[in-house]
PDB file of all heavy atoms in Angstrom:
ATOM      1  N   GLY T 671      -4.796  -0.463   3.430  1.00  0.00           N
ATOM      2  CA  GLY T 671      -4.293   0.823   3.887  1.00  0.00           C
ATOM      3  C   GLY T 671      -4.840   1.862   2.935  1.00  0.00           C
ATOM      4  O   GLY T 671      -4.624   1.764   1.728  1.00  0.00           O
ATOM      5  N   HIS T 689     -10.061  -0.223  -2.870  1.00  0.00           N
ATOM      6  CA  HIS T 689      -9.435  -0.841  -1.688  1.00  0.00           C
ATOM      7  C   HIS T 689     -10.333  -1.925  -1.101  1.00  0.00           C
ATOM      8  O   HIS T 689      -9.844  -2.982  -0.689  1.00  0.00           O
ATOM      9  CB  HIS T 689      -9.120   0.216  -0.629  1.00  0.00           C
ATOM     10  CG  HIS T 689      -7.882   1.001  -0.911  1.00  0.00           C
ATOM     11  ND1 HIS T 689      -6.616   0.501  -0.678  1.00  0.00           N
ATOM     12  CD2 HIS T 689      -7.697   2.241  -1.419  1.00  0.00           C
ATOM     13  CE1 HIS T 689      -5.707   1.410  -1.025  1.00  0.00           C
ATOM     14  NE2 HIS T 689      -6.340   2.478  -1.480  1.00  0.00           N
ATOM     15  N   ARG T 692     -10.166  -5.030  -3.198  1.00  0.00           N
ATOM     16  CA  ARG T 692      -8.941  -5.807  -2.946  1.00  0.00           C
ATOM     17  C   ARG T 692      -9.020  -6.534  -1.603  1.00  0.00           C
ATOM     18  O   ARG T 692      -8.570  -7.665  -1.472  1.00  0.00           O
ATOM     19  CB  ARG T 692      -7.709  -4.890  -3.005  1.00  0.00           C
ATOM     20  CG  ARG T 692      -6.397  -5.671  -2.960  1.00  0.00           C
ATOM     21  CD  ARG T 692      -5.180  -4.798  -3.203  1.00  0.00           C
ATOM     22  NE  ARG T 692      -4.992  -3.825  -2.139  1.00  0.00           N
ATOM     23  CZ  ARG T 692      -4.078  -2.858  -2.148  1.00  0.00           C
ATOM     24  NH1 ARG T 692      -3.264  -2.733  -3.190  1.00  0.00           N
ATOM     25  NH2 ARG T 692      -3.977  -2.005  -1.147  1.00  0.00           N
ATOM     26  N   ARG T 780      11.245 -11.481  -3.350  1.00  0.00           N
ATOM     27  CA  ARG T 780       9.816 -11.370  -3.086  1.00  0.00           C
ATOM     28  C   ARG T 780       9.220 -12.779  -3.091  1.00  0.00           C
ATOM     29  O   ARG T 780       9.839 -13.733  -3.603  1.00  0.00           O
ATOM     30  CB  ARG T 780       9.192 -10.493  -4.187  1.00  0.00           C
ATOM     31  CG  ARG T 780       7.898  -9.830  -3.764  1.00  0.00           C
ATOM     32  CD  ARG T 780       8.117  -8.687  -2.782  1.00  0.00           C
ATOM     33  NE  ARG T 780       6.858  -8.177  -2.302  1.00  0.00           N
ATOM     34  CZ  ARG T 780       6.528  -8.054  -1.018  1.00  0.00           C
ATOM     35  NH1 ARG T 780       7.367  -8.368  -0.064  1.00  0.00           N
ATOM     36  NH2 ARG T 780       5.357  -7.577  -0.680  1.00  0.00           N
ATOM     37  N   LYS T 791      -3.354  -9.016   0.056  1.00  0.00           N
ATOM     38  CA  LYS T 791      -2.634  -8.156   1.013  1.00  0.00           C
ATOM     39  C   LYS T 791      -2.795  -8.811   2.394  1.00  0.00           C
ATOM     40  O   LYS T 791      -3.684  -8.450   3.168  1.00  0.00           O
ATOM     41  CB  LYS T 791      -3.196  -6.735   0.970  1.00  0.00           C
ATOM     42  CG  LYS T 791      -2.344  -5.715   1.713  1.00  0.00           C
ATOM     43  CD  LYS T 791      -2.790  -4.308   1.384  1.00  0.00           C
ATOM     44  CE  LYS T 791      -2.112  -3.258   2.258  1.00  0.00           C
ATOM     45  NZ  LYS T 791      -0.668  -3.164   2.082  1.00  0.00           N
ATOM     46  N   TYR T 796       3.934  -9.706   5.002  1.00  0.00           N
ATOM     47  CA  TYR T 796       4.771  -8.609   5.498  1.00  0.00           C
ATOM     48  C   TYR T 796       5.925  -9.101   6.349  1.00  0.00           C
ATOM     49  O   TYR T 796       6.779  -8.298   6.749  1.00  0.00           O
ATOM     50  CB  TYR T 796       3.892  -7.542   6.178  1.00  0.00           C
ATOM     51  CG  TYR T 796       3.146  -6.791   5.092  1.00  0.00           C
ATOM     52  CD1 TYR T 796       1.996  -7.317   4.524  1.00  0.00           C
ATOM     53  CD2 TYR T 796       3.672  -5.626   4.540  1.00  0.00           C
ATOM     54  CE1 TYR T 796       1.358  -6.698   3.464  1.00  0.00           C
ATOM     55  CE2 TYR T 796       3.045  -4.997   3.484  1.00  0.00           C
ATOM     56  CZ  TYR T 796       1.889  -5.534   2.951  1.00  0.00           C
ATOM     57  OH  TYR T 796       1.282  -4.908   1.882  1.00  0.00           O
ATOM     58  N   SER T 799       8.308  -8.552   3.678  1.00  0.00           N
ATOM     59  CA  SER T 799       8.559  -7.100   3.593  1.00  0.00           C
ATOM     60  C   SER T 799       9.467  -6.618   4.734  1.00  0.00           C
ATOM     61  O   SER T 799      10.309  -5.750   4.533  1.00  0.00           O
ATOM     62  CB  SER T 799       7.239  -6.332   3.671  1.00  0.00           C
ATOM     63  OG  SER T 799       6.494  -6.500   2.492  1.00  0.00           O
ATOM     64  N   GLU T 825       9.064  -5.364  -6.485  1.00  0.00           N
ATOM     65  CA  GLU T 825       8.548  -4.129  -5.853  1.00  0.00           C
ATOM     66  C   GLU T 825       9.327  -3.826  -4.581  1.00  0.00           C
ATOM     67  O   GLU T 825      10.179  -4.614  -4.175  1.00  0.00           O
ATOM     68  CB  GLU T 825       7.059  -4.284  -5.541  1.00  0.00           C
ATOM     69  CG  GLU T 825       6.772  -5.429  -4.583  1.00  0.00           C
ATOM     70  CD  GLU T 825       5.293  -5.651  -4.279  1.00  0.00           C
ATOM     71  OE1 GLU T 825       4.474  -4.774  -4.545  1.00  0.00           O
ATOM     72  OE2 GLU T 825       4.985  -6.726  -3.739  1.00  0.00           O
ATOM     73  N   GLY T 826       9.013  -2.690  -3.953  1.00  0.00           N
ATOM     74  CA  GLY T 826       9.600  -2.342  -2.669  1.00  0.00           C
ATOM     75  C   GLY T 826       8.886  -3.099  -1.552  1.00  0.00           C
ATOM     76  O   GLY T 826       7.916  -3.825  -1.796  1.00  0.00           O
ATOM     77  N   SER T 827       9.335  -2.912  -0.309  1.00  0.00           N
ATOM     78  CA  SER T 827       8.715  -3.642   0.800  1.00  0.00           C
ATOM     79  C   SER T 827       7.268  -3.215   1.019  1.00  0.00           C
ATOM     80  O   SER T 827       6.476  -3.960   1.574  1.00  0.00           O
ATOM     81  CB  SER T 827       9.523  -3.464   2.084  1.00  0.00           C
ATOM     82  OG  SER T 827       9.350  -2.161   2.602  1.00  0.00           O
ATOM     83  N   GLY T 828       6.928  -2.004   0.558  1.00  0.00           N
ATOM     84  CA  GLY T 828       5.559  -1.524   0.715  1.00  0.00           C
ATOM     85  C   GLY T 828       5.156  -0.580  -0.396  1.00  0.00           C
ATOM     86  O   GLY T 828       4.323   0.309  -0.215  1.00  0.00           O
ATOM     87  N   GLU T 829       5.772  -0.746  -1.587  1.00  0.00           N
ATOM     88  CA  GLU T 829       5.496   0.158  -2.707  1.00  0.00           C
ATOM     89  C   GLU T 829       5.664  -0.590  -4.020  1.00  0.00           C
ATOM     90  O   GLU T 829       6.509  -1.472  -4.132  1.00  0.00           O
ATOM     91  CB  GLU T 829       6.497   1.339  -2.753  1.00  0.00           C
ATOM     92  CG  GLU T 829       6.677   2.122  -1.480  1.00  0.00           C
ATOM     93  CD  GLU T 829       7.715   1.490  -0.546  1.00  0.00           C
ATOM     94  OE1 GLU T 829       8.400   0.522  -0.959  1.00  0.00           O
ATOM     95  OE2 GLU T 829       7.834   1.948   0.593  1.00  0.00           O
ATOM     96  N   ASN T 830       4.912  -0.198  -5.024  1.00  0.00           N
ATOM     97  CA  ASN T 830       5.187  -0.632  -6.402  1.00  0.00           C
ATOM     98  C   ASN T 830       6.245   0.294  -6.991  1.00  0.00           C
ATOM     99  O   ASN T 830       6.488   1.386  -6.474  1.00  0.00           O
ATOM    100  CB  ASN T 830       3.905  -0.577  -7.239  1.00  0.00           C
ATOM    101  CG  ASN T 830       2.874  -1.593  -6.786  1.00  0.00           C
ATOM    102  OD1 ASN T 830       1.822  -1.239  -6.269  1.00  0.00           O
ATOM    103  ND2 ASN T 830       3.170  -2.869  -6.969  1.00  0.00           N
ATOM    104  N   LEU T 849       2.109  -6.664  -5.390  1.00  0.00           N
ATOM    105  CA  LEU T 849       0.757  -6.371  -4.932  1.00  0.00           C
ATOM    106  C   LEU T 849       0.084  -5.513  -6.012  1.00  0.00           C
ATOM    107  O   LEU T 849       0.720  -4.605  -6.557  1.00  0.00           O
ATOM    108  CB  LEU T 849       0.802  -5.590  -3.607  1.00  0.00           C
ATOM    109  CG  LEU T 849      -0.568  -5.328  -2.979  1.00  0.00           C
ATOM    110  CD1 LEU T 849      -1.102  -6.600  -2.317  1.00  0.00           C
ATOM    111  CD2 LEU T 849      -0.488  -4.216  -1.940  1.00  0.00           C
ATOM    112  N   PRO T 850      -1.190  -5.807  -6.348  1.00  0.00           N
ATOM    113  CA  PRO T 850      -1.895  -4.946  -7.311  1.00  0.00           C
ATOM    114  C   PRO T 850      -2.235  -3.606  -6.658  1.00  0.00           C
ATOM    115  O   PRO T 850      -3.332  -3.406  -6.143  1.00  0.00           O
ATOM    116  CB  PRO T 850      -3.150  -5.753  -7.668  1.00  0.00           C
ATOM    117  CG  PRO T 850      -3.327  -6.747  -6.565  1.00  0.00           C
ATOM    118  CD  PRO T 850      -2.005  -6.936  -5.887  1.00  0.00           C
ATOM    119  N   GLY T 851      -1.264  -2.716  -6.650  1.00  0.00           N
ATOM    120  CA  GLY T 851      -1.393  -1.451  -5.926  1.00  0.00           C
ATOM    121  C   GLY T 851      -2.500  -0.578  -6.482  1.00  0.00           C
ATOM    122  O   GLY T 851      -2.656  -0.466  -7.706  1.00  0.00           O
ATOM    123  N   ILE T 852      -3.221   0.058  -5.583  1.00  0.00           N
ATOM    124  CA  ILE T 852      -4.281   0.974  -6.012  1.00  0.00           C
ATOM    125  C   ILE T 852      -3.627   2.264  -6.529  1.00  0.00           C
ATOM    126  O   ILE T 852      -4.105   2.866  -7.492  1.00  0.00           O
ATOM    127  CB  ILE T 852      -5.246   1.291  -4.842  1.00  0.00           C
ATOM    128  CG1 ILE T 852      -5.738   0.007  -4.146  1.00  0.00           C
ATOM    129  CG2 ILE T 852      -6.402   2.157  -5.315  1.00  0.00           C
ATOM    130  CD1 ILE T 852      -6.502  -0.958  -5.001  1.00  0.00           C
ATOM    131  N   THR T 853      -2.532   2.676  -5.904  1.00  0.00           N
ATOM    132  CA  THR T 853      -1.815   3.858  -6.416  1.00  0.00           C
ATOM    133  C   THR T 853      -1.205   3.525  -7.780  1.00  0.00           C
ATOM    134  O   THR T 853      -1.238   4.352  -8.698  1.00  0.00           O
ATOM    135  CB  THR T 853      -0.713   4.292  -5.431  1.00  0.00           C
ATOM    136  OG1 THR T 853      -1.193   4.154  -4.105  1.00  0.00           O
ATOM    137  CG2 THR T 853      -0.281   5.727  -5.680  1.00  0.00           C
ATOM    138  N   ARG T 854      -0.680   2.311  -7.912  1.00  0.00           N
ATOM    139  CA  ARG T 854      -0.153   1.835  -9.204  1.00  0.00           C
ATOM    140  C   ARG T 854      -1.227   1.970 -10.284  1.00  0.00           C
ATOM    141  O   ARG T 854      -0.978   2.531 -11.353  1.00  0.00           O
ATOM    142  CB  ARG T 854       0.279   0.368  -9.047  1.00  0.00           C
ATOM    143  CG  ARG T 854       0.748  -0.342 -10.305  1.00  0.00           C
ATOM    144  CD  ARG T 854       1.042  -1.817  -9.964  1.00  0.00           C
ATOM    145  NE  ARG T 854       1.557  -2.569 -11.093  1.00  0.00           N
ATOM    146  CZ  ARG T 854       0.796  -3.113 -12.055  1.00  0.00           C
ATOM    147  NH1 ARG T 854      -0.520  -2.988 -12.013  1.00  0.00           N
ATOM    148  NH2 ARG T 854       1.363  -3.782 -13.050  1.00  0.00           N
ATOM    149  N   THR T 887       5.308   3.941  -5.888  1.00  0.00           N
ATOM    150  CA  THR T 887       3.928   4.347  -5.621  1.00  0.00           C
ATOM    151  C   THR T 887       3.355   3.498  -4.493  1.00  0.00           C
ATOM    152  O   THR T 887       3.669   2.314  -4.374  1.00  0.00           O
ATOM    153  CB  THR T 887       3.016   4.163  -6.858  1.00  0.00           C
ATOM    154  OG1 THR T 887       2.917   2.767  -7.165  1.00  0.00           O
ATOM    155  CG2 THR T 887       3.512   4.926  -8.058  1.00  0.00           C
ATOM    156  N   GLY T 888       2.512   4.099  -3.680  1.00  0.00           N
ATOM    157  CA  GLY T 888       1.834   3.378  -2.607  1.00  0.00           C
ATOM    158  C   GLY T 888       0.965   4.347  -1.830  1.00  0.00           C
ATOM    159  O   GLY T 888       1.178   5.563  -1.903  1.00  0.00           O
ATOM    160  N   THR T 889       0.012   3.813  -1.112  1.00  0.00           N
ATOM    161  CA  THR T 889      -0.872   4.674  -0.324  1.00  0.00           C
ATOM    162  C   THR T 889      -0.063   5.454   0.699  1.00  0.00           C
ATOM    163  O   THR T 889      -0.251   6.656   0.869  1.00  0.00           O
ATOM    164  CB  THR T 889      -1.942   3.820   0.369  1.00  0.00           C
ATOM    165  OG1 THR T 889      -2.698   3.169  -0.650  1.00  0.00           O
ATOM    166  CG2 THR T 889      -2.845   4.660   1.245  1.00  0.00           C
ATOM    167  N   ALA T 890       0.836   4.763   1.388  1.00  0.00           N
ATOM    168  CA  ALA T 890       1.661   5.450   2.382  1.00  0.00           C
ATOM    169  C   ALA T 890       2.713   6.313   1.690  1.00  0.00           C
ATOM    170  O   ALA T 890       2.877   7.488   1.992  1.00  0.00           O
ATOM    171  CB  ALA T 890       2.313   4.440   3.319  1.00  0.00           C
TER     172      ALA T 890
HETATM  173  N1  PMP X 737       3.360  -3.324  -2.619  1.00  0.00           N
HETATM  174  C1  PMP X 737       3.330  -3.632  -1.328  1.00  0.00           C
HETATM  175  C2  PMP X 737       4.099  -4.812  -0.849  1.00  0.00           C
HETATM  176  C3  PMP X 737       2.605  -2.836  -0.423  1.00  0.00           C
HETATM  177  O1  PMP X 737       2.570  -3.124   0.870  1.00  0.00           O
HETATM  178  C4  PMP X 737       1.915  -1.708  -0.908  1.00  0.00           C
HETATM  179  C5  PMP X 737       1.147  -0.832   0.041  1.00  0.00           C
HETATM  180  N2  PMP X 737      -0.147  -1.302   0.253  1.00  0.00           N
HETATM  181  C6  PMP X 737       1.968  -1.434  -2.282  1.00  0.00           C
HETATM  182  C7  PMP X 737       2.698  -2.263  -3.108  1.00  0.00           C
HETATM  183  C8  PMP X 737       1.222  -0.276  -2.863  1.00  0.00           C
HETATM  184  O2  PMP X 737      -0.162  -0.531  -2.860  1.00  0.00           O
HETATM  185  P1  PMP X 737      -1.236   0.638  -2.738  1.00  0.00           P
HETATM  186  O3  PMP X 737      -0.909   1.610  -3.787  1.00  0.00           O
HETATM  187  O4  PMP X 737      -2.532  -0.025  -2.945  1.00  0.00           O
HETATM  188  O5  PMP X 737      -1.096   1.203  -1.369  1.00  0.00           O
END
Side-chain angles (χ1 to χ4, degrees):
H689 281 282
R692 188 172 66 186
R780 204 73 186 126
K791 192 168 171 64
Y796 287 81
S799 289
E825 60 182 344
S827 73
E829 309 85 8
N830 293 112
L849 185 76
I852 310 299
T853 321
R854 175 184 183 278
T887 65
T889 299

